[in-house]
Amino acid sequence: MCQITKKSYAGSLESSDVLVQISPNPGKGLEIDLKSTVKRQFGNAILATVNDVLREFDITEAFVSIDDKGALDCTIRARVSAAVCRAAALTDYHWKVG
Amino acid sequence: MLTNAVNRNIPEKINNKKLIPYQGEFALSPADAPVASYRKLKKRTPDMGNKIQRDLTAAIRSVGLKDGMTISFHHGFRDGDLTVLPVLEAIRALGIKNLTLAPSSLTDVHDPVVEFIKDGTITHLESSGLRGKLGKAVSEGILENPVVLRTHGDRVRAIQAGELNIDVAFLAVASADEYGNATGCTGKNICGALGYAMVDAKYAANVVLITDNLVSYPCSPISIDQSDVDCVVVVDQIGDSALIGKGAARTTRDPKQLLIAENTTKVIEYSGLFVEGFSVQTGVGAVPIAVTNFLGERMRTQNIHAAFALGGIGAAITRLHQEGYIQKILAVQSFDTEASAALCNDVTHIETETGTYANIFGNGCCINKLDICILSALEMDTHFNCNILTGSNGELRGALGGGPDCAGAARLSIMAMPLIRGRIPSIVDEVNTICTPGTSVDCVVTEYGVAVNTARNPDLTERLRKSGLKLFTMQQLKEMAERLTGKPEPIQYNRDKIVAVVEYRDGSIIDVVYQVLPE
Amino acid sequence: MVAEKIKLRRTMMYVSGSSPANIAQATIYGADSLMFDLEDSVSVNEKDAARFVIYHALKTIDFGDTETVVRINAINTETGRQDLEAIVRAKPDVIRLPKTSCAQDVWDAEAMIAKIERNIGFEEGTIKLMAALEDPSGILNAREIAKSSKRLIGMAIGAEDFVTSMKTTRSPLGVELATARGLLLMACREVGIYALDTVYSDINNDEGFLEEVKLIKQLGFDGKSCIHPRQIKPIHQVFTPTIKEIDYAIRTFGAIQEAEEKHSGVIALNGKMIDLPMVERARRVIRLADAAGILDGGAYGC
């Protein structure tokens, strides 16, 4: 299991990007707060991606705030991954093929 | 419920009126009836003095505006409008309620109209479009009865058919005299052509002119004439000319917009219609202006002249006219001071009333003579049906304008738009709202390439092969977009509440807009 | 005989890893190659985030026929080594090594890439390399670098760093780069790899840009790196054979055929003898035109 040890963020509020902020959430499990300019069309898809990345890192306790400006799925994946690595002080990410 | 020719379900009755479902571009004919008019003969003797009223309140009183009446405005100042809100405030102060607001269109600056709906001053809307907070509020169901949305040509048809009866038209004009002669092209704040306002001036029961530049009698040139006008009010400022085109007259540096413009220009060049004496409507906005500039370069190098350009006119078209590459201009609206000034100074730059321009039952309108028009859409489906009203989130945020009119009439209707905007694909399985039927569209031009509607234009594909443009089917474009963005979820609507009906040019109903559910 | 289409590398457009907005649609401007950058356009604090952005973009987005290149950070840094771990797995066509000074730099990168390839089951040599020569040692070692690896598909000159180490600045005529460009070109031509010129930074100077493109085309470069979509079209126009050139090339081949039919030993066109270099140039014109998609009838017997 991977621990969120400090508040951290990745991304930006520029168009087609997303700002992801992750902070410790002691005793309260996973909480995700989603704001998005495309929430009606892609809200569920964004949440699925965020959850997918958190699962990959085995994060079970964190407060995740997503402020999305219409980022593509691969960008959301990249920003959440970067934010997790920073917030958990991970240096040896397991890069995968395909 | 009835199903129309573009497969949309249309209720049988709305606003106490029986609806006619859309049946095809030229399927309907008008009723055999004289043109409707609310105009009355009016007596004004020489001793009655001029028509000046000291302020808006006095003007509103003098024309007898009462609860439940219909008022109108023109939108020639677009985002620079400074007339609609002060008039509504004066009306509210008089305690008049339950009005129908039926301007030629509304823009982002009209967000505060929401407040006048909340306090009951306005209870019904008819417009070409709705945007911003007003569009959002209407989509969320702020009004009891559905808004009626009409194209520019259809609005004139509806007025002449007696479906839209305007009790008082409040018309901003750049210069007027004390007896009600007026123009848009001289003064402190000019908006050039008064194509929209000319209609209201002719058909409204009462006409109030609002100006910030009173000139000695007679005002010239005369776009609105004294016999149509009941009173004149002088205010500090009617509008801000600089905001009409919102800087759209500037040449864009955005590479994606330039690429779409270059591709669009190639379509025109290879369409077979780019020959001596052609006609074109380009419109304004970043892409259309870039197209105008690119097309201008080709007209110069290939020595090809246009017989006329039409519609909303900006500096780019005006310059080509002045260089002699466009022989005449038919201007419904002027988008910048350069175009406005030219209208005043050149008899071949012709002010054109909206009905003359696009009324399908106007005994032959200008766009019937149009070869090429460049339009845009928020969304298109794989059958080329276009949505120019509702955003991908289902909220009203656009305007019909003259889009469905021109697409239906022109020989070559080009939709120029990006395949994706941020994460939003513009070519989808089903658009939120059908405004222009796919049968009116010849092709769509994107940053990736072109899809041709072979059913409307069987020869275009072959012609475009020589252009070097990449050709796709709509299905292919849709899939390319979805590969990048993912497939958006359909918008959740409350199907029990219709917030707007969308009229086709002939007054039939092409689609309805439902209330959006909260996010 | 129809020759295999040659790979065009007229334009290699920079796309920074720090701005995701420009990545997905980078192909629309028609650059022959896209170069996703993790190096100079990304600030030190954002290296990790940019790496994730490019990694996921390459794994997700279909860039079609456009060649994908990733410029990583120098591999003698931890950042550069992490870049390699991530990017090789995302499988771009090419990895571009910055600030290459000697053959050893390429060998080091090659060893690391080969190890990753073996770990993840890629055929060894899948990922190609490009070397950017950006200092005097790189230029002076151009020959050994060019010969250093089978993976190496080309070399580029990085002028900004180079002129700084030469105690000078860039100028419109590029005299300060004359020797470096010449040495790099000869090293590339000796082994038959691509030679790519440096960026032109003033995106608003269309005239100066065009002059430089013409200059480097005349010197013999295969293409040029660019930093803005508006630079692509002018480069392609300069590097695409003109109708006149194509026509001359076709007539050259016609003359050869005619001579063969007549069993004539001497081949002449318009009274001028056609020698071997002329045939070679004509062949190149046809192949470039073909690759650019401007030949009507297909191959011309070359």
PDB file of all heavy atoms in Angstrom, chain C residues 67-91:
ATOM      1  N   GLU C  67       6.239  10.515 -37.737  1.00  0.00           N
ATOM      2  CA  GLU C  67       7.296   9.926 -36.916  1.00  0.00           C
ATOM      3  C   GLU C  67       7.298  10.571 -35.532  1.00  0.00           C
ATOM      4  O   GLU C  67       7.208  11.786 -35.412  1.00  0.00           O
ATOM      5  CB  GLU C  67       8.647  10.155 -37.594  1.00  0.00           C
ATOM      6  CG  GLU C  67       9.808   9.509 -36.866  1.00  0.00           C
ATOM      7  CD  GLU C  67      11.100   9.641 -37.647  1.00  0.00           C
ATOM      8  OE1 GLU C  67      11.532  10.790 -37.900  1.00  0.00           O
ATOM      9  OE2 GLU C  67      11.665   8.606 -38.020  1.00  0.00           O
ATOM     10  N   THR C  68       7.389   9.745 -34.494  1.00  0.00           N
ATOM     11  CA  THR C  68       7.430  10.304 -33.139  1.00  0.00           C
ATOM     12  C   THR C  68       8.851  10.229 -32.577  1.00  0.00           C
ATOM     13  O   THR C  68       9.494   9.182 -32.611  1.00  0.00           O
ATOM     14  CB  THR C  68       6.480   9.546 -32.195  1.00  0.00           C
ATOM     15  OG1 THR C  68       6.765   8.147 -32.280  1.00  0.00           O
ATOM     16  CG2 THR C  68       5.028   9.782 -32.562  1.00  0.00           C
ATOM     17  N   VAL C  69       9.312  11.364 -32.092  1.00  0.00           N
ATOM     18  CA  VAL C  69      10.662  11.479 -31.535  1.00  0.00           C
ATOM     19  C   VAL C  69      10.504  12.065 -30.140  1.00  0.00           C
ATOM     20  O   VAL C  69       9.672  12.934 -29.932  1.00  0.00           O
ATOM     21  CB  VAL C  69      11.517  12.448 -32.395  1.00  0.00           C
ATOM     22  CG1 VAL C  69      12.939  12.559 -31.857  1.00  0.00           C
ATOM     23  CG2 VAL C  69      11.514  12.029 -33.856  1.00  0.00           C
ATOM     24  N   VAL C  70      11.267  11.562 -29.181  1.00  0.00           N
ATOM     25  CA  VAL C  70      11.239  12.192 -27.856  1.00  0.00           C
ATOM     26  C   VAL C  70      12.644  12.674 -27.513  1.00  0.00           C
ATOM     27  O   VAL C  70      13.606  11.891 -27.574  1.00  0.00           O
ATOM     28  CB  VAL C  70      10.749  11.219 -26.755  1.00  0.00           C
ATOM     29  CG1 VAL C  70      10.765  11.915 -25.393  1.00  0.00           C
ATOM     30  CG2 VAL C  70       9.353  10.708 -27.077  1.00  0.00           C
ATOM     31  N   ARG C  71      12.746  13.944 -27.191  1.00  0.00           N
ATOM     32  CA  ARG C  71      14.039  14.461 -26.738  1.00  0.00           C
ATOM     33  C   ARG C  71      14.091  14.309 -25.223  1.00  0.00           C
ATOM     34  O   ARG C  71      13.330  14.939 -24.498  1.00  0.00           O
ATOM     35  CB  ARG C  71      14.215  15.925 -27.119  1.00  0.00           C
ATOM     36  CG  ARG C  71      15.570  16.468 -26.629  1.00  0.00           C
ATOM     37  CD  ARG C  71      15.933  17.777 -27.262  1.00  0.00           C
ATOM     38  NE  ARG C  71      15.248  18.887 -26.636  1.00  0.00           N
ATOM     39  CZ  ARG C  71      15.603  20.173 -26.809  1.00  0.00           C
ATOM     40  NH1 ARG C  71      16.624  20.472 -27.602  1.00  0.00           N
ATOM     41  NH2 ARG C  71      14.940  21.137 -26.232  1.00  0.00           N
ATOM     42  N   ILE C  72      14.981  13.443 -24.776  1.00  0.00           N
ATOM     43  CA  ILE C  72      15.105  13.198 -23.336  1.00  0.00           C
ATOM     44  C   ILE C  72      16.175  14.119 -22.756  1.00  0.00           C
ATOM     45  O   ILE C  72      16.868  14.816 -23.494  1.00  0.00           O
ATOM     46  CB  ILE C  72      15.453  11.720 -23.044  1.00  0.00           C
ATOM     47  CG1 ILE C  72      16.797  11.368 -23.701  1.00  0.00           C
ATOM     48  CG2 ILE C  72      14.341  10.804 -23.527  1.00  0.00           C
ATOM     49  CD1 ILE C  72      17.378  10.069 -23.194  1.00  0.00           C
ATOM     50  N   ASN C  73      16.303  14.107 -21.446  1.00  0.00           N
ATOM     51  CA  ASN C  73      17.381  14.860 -20.807  1.00  0.00           C
ATOM     52  C   ASN C  73      18.676  14.054 -20.925  1.00  0.00           C
ATOM     53  O   ASN C  73      18.656  12.850 -21.194  1.00  0.00           O
ATOM     54  CB  ASN C  73      17.030  15.122 -19.344  1.00  0.00           C
ATOM     55  CG  ASN C  73      15.900  16.126 -19.224  1.00  0.00           C
ATOM     56  OD1 ASN C  73      16.126  17.327 -19.345  1.00  0.00           O
ATOM     57  ND2 ASN C  73      14.681  15.639 -19.061  1.00  0.00           N
ATOM     58  N   ALA C  74      19.801  14.718 -20.744  1.00  0.00           N
ATOM     59  CA  ALA C  74      21.109  14.066 -20.905  1.00  0.00           C
ATOM     60  C   ALA C  74      21.168  12.815 -20.021  1.00  0.00           C
ATOM     61  O   ALA C  74      20.772  12.847 -18.857  1.00  0.00           O
ATOM     62  CB  ALA C  74      22.222  15.034 -20.518  1.00  0.00           C
ATOM     63  N   ILE C  75      21.669  11.719 -20.605  1.00  0.00           N
ATOM     64  CA  ILE C  75      21.591  10.449 -19.880  1.00  0.00           C
ATOM     65  C   ILE C  75      22.649  10.324 -18.794  1.00  0.00           C
ATOM     66  O   ILE C  75      22.667   9.342 -18.059  1.00  0.00           O
ATOM     67  CB  ILE C  75      21.663   9.227 -20.822  1.00  0.00           C
ATOM     68  CG1 ILE C  75      22.862   9.368 -21.745  1.00  0.00           C
ATOM     69  CG2 ILE C  75      20.382   9.043 -21.588  1.00  0.00           C
ATOM     70  CD1 ILE C  75      23.486   8.068 -22.041  1.00  0.00           C
ATOM     71  N   ASN C  76      23.532  11.283 -18.672  1.00  0.00           N
ATOM     72  CA  ASN C  76      24.428  11.252 -17.510  1.00  0.00           C
ATOM     73  C   ASN C  76      23.787  11.930 -16.291  1.00  0.00           C
ATOM     74  O   ASN C  76      24.440  12.217 -15.312  1.00  0.00           O
ATOM     75  CB  ASN C  76      25.790  11.879 -17.831  1.00  0.00           C
ATOM     76  CG  ASN C  76      25.650  13.299 -18.331  1.00  0.00           C
ATOM     77  OD1 ASN C  76      24.553  13.872 -18.307  1.00  0.00           O
ATOM     78  ND2 ASN C  76      26.749  13.870 -18.784  1.00  0.00           N
ATOM     79  N   THR C  77      22.477  12.215 -16.393  1.00  0.00           N
ATOM     80  CA  THR C  77      21.744  12.729 -15.227  1.00  0.00           C
ATOM     81  C   THR C  77      20.686  11.708 -14.830  1.00  0.00           C
ATOM     82  O   THR C  77      20.256  10.886 -15.647  1.00  0.00           O
ATOM     83  CB  THR C  77      21.014  14.053 -15.552  1.00  0.00           C
ATOM     84  OG1 THR C  77      20.011  13.776 -16.544  1.00  0.00           O
ATOM     85  CG2 THR C  77      21.979  15.102 -16.091  1.00  0.00           C
ATOM     86  N   GLU C  78      20.238  11.790 -13.559  1.00  0.00           N
ATOM     87  CA  GLU C  78      19.203  10.877 -13.075  1.00  0.00           C
ATOM     88  C   GLU C  78      17.912  11.112 -13.878  1.00  0.00           C
ATOM     89  O   GLU C  78      17.205  10.173 -14.251  1.00  0.00           O
ATOM     90  CB  GLU C  78      18.979  11.120 -11.565  1.00  0.00           C
ATOM     91  CG  GLU C  78      17.928  10.239 -10.919  1.00  0.00           C
ATOM     92  CD  GLU C  78      18.157   8.747 -11.123  1.00  0.00           C
ATOM     93  OE1 GLU C  78      19.317   8.320 -11.292  1.00  0.00           O
ATOM     94  OE2 GLU C  78      17.156   8.000 -11.138  1.00  0.00           O
ATOM     95  N   THR C  79      17.620  12.391 -14.151  1.00  0.00           N
ATOM     96  CA  THR C  79      16.428  12.726 -14.941  1.00  0.00           C
ATOM     97  C   THR C  79      16.460  12.030 -16.293  1.00  0.00           C
ATOM     98  O   THR C  79      15.475  11.428 -16.713  1.00  0.00           O
ATOM     99  CB  THR C  79      16.344  14.252 -15.135  1.00  0.00           C
ATOM    100  OG1 THR C  79      16.468  14.873 -13.875  1.00  0.00           O
ATOM    101  CG2 THR C  79      15.035  14.652 -15.780  1.00  0.00           C
ATOM    102  N   GLY C  80      17.597  12.109 -16.957  1.00  0.00           N
ATOM    103  CA  GLY C  80      17.729  11.495 -18.280  1.00  0.00           C
ATOM    104  C   GLY C  80      17.543   9.994 -18.228  1.00  0.00           C
ATOM    105  O   GLY C  80      16.894   9.397 -19.091  1.00  0.00           O
ATOM    106  N   ARG C  81      18.110   9.366 -17.193  1.00  0.00           N
ATOM    107  CA  ARG C  81      17.973   7.903 -17.071  1.00  0.00           C
ATOM    108  C   ARG C  81      16.518   7.521 -16.806  1.00  0.00           C
ATOM    109  O   ARG C  81      16.002   6.559 -17.369  1.00  0.00           O
ATOM    110  CB  ARG C  81      18.896   7.378 -15.957  1.00  0.00           C
ATOM    111  CG  ARG C  81      20.366   7.355 -16.386  1.00  0.00           C
ATOM    112  CD  ARG C  81      21.245   6.628 -15.373  1.00  0.00           C
ATOM    113  NE  ARG C  81      21.444   7.389 -14.143  1.00  0.00           N
ATOM    114  CZ  ARG C  81      22.421   8.308 -13.980  1.00  0.00           C
ATOM    115  NH1 ARG C  81      23.278   8.561 -14.960  1.00  0.00           N
ATOM    116  NH2 ARG C  81      22.539   8.953 -12.838  1.00  0.00           N
ATOM    117  N   GLN C  82      15.840   8.295 -15.972  1.00  0.00           N
ATOM    118  CA  GLN C  82      14.415   8.016 -15.736  1.00  0.00           C
ATOM    119  C   GLN C  82      13.594   8.242 -17.010  1.00  0.00           C
ATOM    120  O   GLN C  82      12.649   7.503 -17.288  1.00  0.00           O
ATOM    121  CB  GLN C  82      13.880   8.908 -14.611  1.00  0.00           C
ATOM    122  CG  GLN C  82      14.365   8.471 -13.239  1.00  0.00           C
ATOM    123  CD  GLN C  82      13.564   9.164 -12.143  1.00  0.00           C
ATOM    124  OE1 GLN C  82      12.409   9.506 -12.315  1.00  0.00           O
ATOM    125  NE2 GLN C  82      14.214   9.360 -10.996  1.00  0.00           N
ATOM    126  N   ASP C  83      13.961   9.274 -17.761  1.00  0.00           N
ATOM    127  CA  ASP C  83      13.285   9.512 -19.048  1.00  0.00           C
ATOM    128  C   ASP C  83      13.359   8.260 -19.911  1.00  0.00           C
ATOM    129  O   ASP C  83      12.366   7.817 -20.490  1.00  0.00           O
ATOM    130  CB  ASP C  83      13.941  10.678 -19.800  1.00  0.00           C
ATOM    131  CG  ASP C  83      13.657  12.030 -19.171  1.00  0.00           C
ATOM    132  OD1 ASP C  83      12.722  12.117 -18.341  1.00  0.00           O
ATOM    133  OD2 ASP C  83      14.359  13.002 -19.515  1.00  0.00           O
ATOM    134  N   LEU C  84      14.566   7.686 -19.991  1.00  0.00           N
ATOM    135  CA  LEU C  84      14.752   6.494 -20.831  1.00  0.00           C
ATOM    136  C   LEU C  84      13.862   5.343 -20.363  1.00  0.00           C
ATOM    137  O   LEU C  84      13.205   4.687 -21.169  1.00  0.00           O
ATOM    138  CB  LEU C  84      16.205   6.036 -20.785  1.00  0.00           C
ATOM    139  CG  LEU C  84      17.156   6.526 -21.870  1.00  0.00           C
ATOM    140  CD1 LEU C  84      18.470   5.767 -21.780  1.00  0.00           C
ATOM    141  CD2 LEU C  84      16.552   6.339 -23.255  1.00  0.00           C
ATOM    142  N   GLU C  85      13.857   5.100 -19.043  1.00  0.00           N
ATOM    143  CA  GLU C  85      13.040   4.008 -18.493  1.00  0.00           C
ATOM    144  C   GLU C  85      11.575   4.154 -18.930  1.00  0.00           C
ATOM    145  O   GLU C  85      10.919   3.194 -19.308  1.00  0.00           O
ATOM    146  CB  GLU C  85      13.101   4.004 -16.958  1.00  0.00           C
ATOM    147  CG  GLU C  85      14.436   3.576 -16.372  1.00  0.00           C
ATOM    148  CD  GLU C  85      14.775   2.111 -16.622  1.00  0.00           C
ATOM    149  OE1 GLU C  85      13.834   1.304 -16.800  1.00  0.00           O
ATOM    150  OE2 GLU C  85      15.986   1.782 -16.672  1.00  0.00           O
ATOM    151  N   ALA C  86      11.073   5.377 -18.861  1.00  0.00           N
ATOM    152  CA  ALA C  86       9.672   5.604 -19.200  1.00  0.00           C
ATOM    153  C   ALA C  86       9.444   5.574 -20.706  1.00  0.00           C
ATOM    154  O   ALA C  86       8.576   4.858 -21.214  1.00  0.00           O
ATOM    155  CB  ALA C  86       9.222   6.952 -18.642  1.00  0.00           C
ATOM    156  N   ILE C  87      10.253   6.331 -21.419  1.00  0.00           N
ATOM    157  CA  ILE C  87       9.958   6.593 -22.828  1.00  0.00           C
ATOM    158  C   ILE C  87      10.163   5.355 -23.697  1.00  0.00           C
ATOM    159  O   ILE C  87       9.399   5.103 -24.617  1.00  0.00           O
ATOM    160  CB  ILE C  87      10.791   7.798 -23.330  1.00  0.00           C
ATOM    161  CG1 ILE C  87      10.385   9.072 -22.553  1.00  0.00           C
ATOM    162  CG2 ILE C  87      10.614   7.995 -24.824  1.00  0.00           C
ATOM    163  CD1 ILE C  87       8.892   9.389 -22.552  1.00  0.00           C
ATOM    164  N   VAL C  88      11.198   4.554 -23.429  1.00  0.00           N
ATOM    165  CA  VAL C  88      11.398   3.349 -24.239  1.00  0.00           C
ATOM    166  C   VAL C  88      10.140   2.481 -24.182  1.00  0.00           C
ATOM    167  O   VAL C  88       9.692   1.945 -25.193  1.00  0.00           O
ATOM    168  CB  VAL C  88      12.634   2.551 -23.758  1.00  0.00           C
ATOM    169  CG1 VAL C  88      12.687   1.179 -24.434  1.00  0.00           C
ATOM    170  CG2 VAL C  88      13.914   3.321 -24.043  1.00  0.00           C
ATOM    171  N   ARG C  89       9.552   2.401 -23.005  1.00  0.00           N
ATOM    172  CA  ARG C  89       8.341   1.579 -22.846  1.00  0.00           C
ATOM    173  C   ARG C  89       7.143   2.156 -23.583  1.00  0.00           C
ATOM    174  O   ARG C  89       6.207   1.444 -23.927  1.00  0.00           O
ATOM    175  CB  ARG C  89       8.031   1.401 -21.353  1.00  0.00           C
ATOM    176  CG  ARG C  89       8.989   0.455 -20.654  1.00  0.00           C
ATOM    177  CD  ARG C  89       8.776   0.436 -19.151  1.00  0.00           C
ATOM    178  NE  ARG C  89       9.532  -0.636 -18.499  1.00  0.00           N
ATOM    179  CZ  ARG C  89      10.807  -0.552 -18.171  1.00  0.00           C
ATOM    180  NH1 ARG C  89      11.489   0.546 -18.421  1.00  0.00           N
ATOM    181  NH2 ARG C  89      11.422  -1.568 -17.592  1.00  0.00           N
ATOM    182  N   ALA C  90       7.154   3.450 -23.795  1.00  0.00           N
ATOM    183  CA  ALA C  90       6.049   4.071 -24.534  1.00  0.00           C
ATOM    184  C   ALA C  90       6.264   3.959 -26.048  1.00  0.00           C
ATOM    185  O   ALA C  90       5.383   4.317 -26.832  1.00  0.00           O
ATOM    186  CB  ALA C  90       5.903   5.536 -24.135  1.00  0.00           C
ATOM    187  N   LYS C  91       7.427   3.482 -26.437  1.00  0.00           N
ATOM    188  CA  LYS C  91       7.751   3.104 -27.818  1.00  0.00           C
ATOM    189  C   LYS C  91       7.572   4.212 -28.866  1.00  0.00           C
ATOM    190  O   LYS C  91       6.774   4.071 -29.796  1.00  0.00           O
ATOM    191  CB  LYS C  91       6.908   1.886 -28.217  1.00  0.00           C
ATOM    192  CG  LYS C  91       7.599   1.008 -29.234  1.00  0.00           C
ATOM    193  CD  LYS C  91       6.770  -0.227 -29.497  1.00  0.00           C
ATOM    194  CE  LYS C  91       7.410  -1.114 -30.527  1.00  0.00           C
ATOM    195  NZ  LYS C  91       6.586  -2.287 -30.827  1.00  0.00           N
TER     196      LYS C  91
END
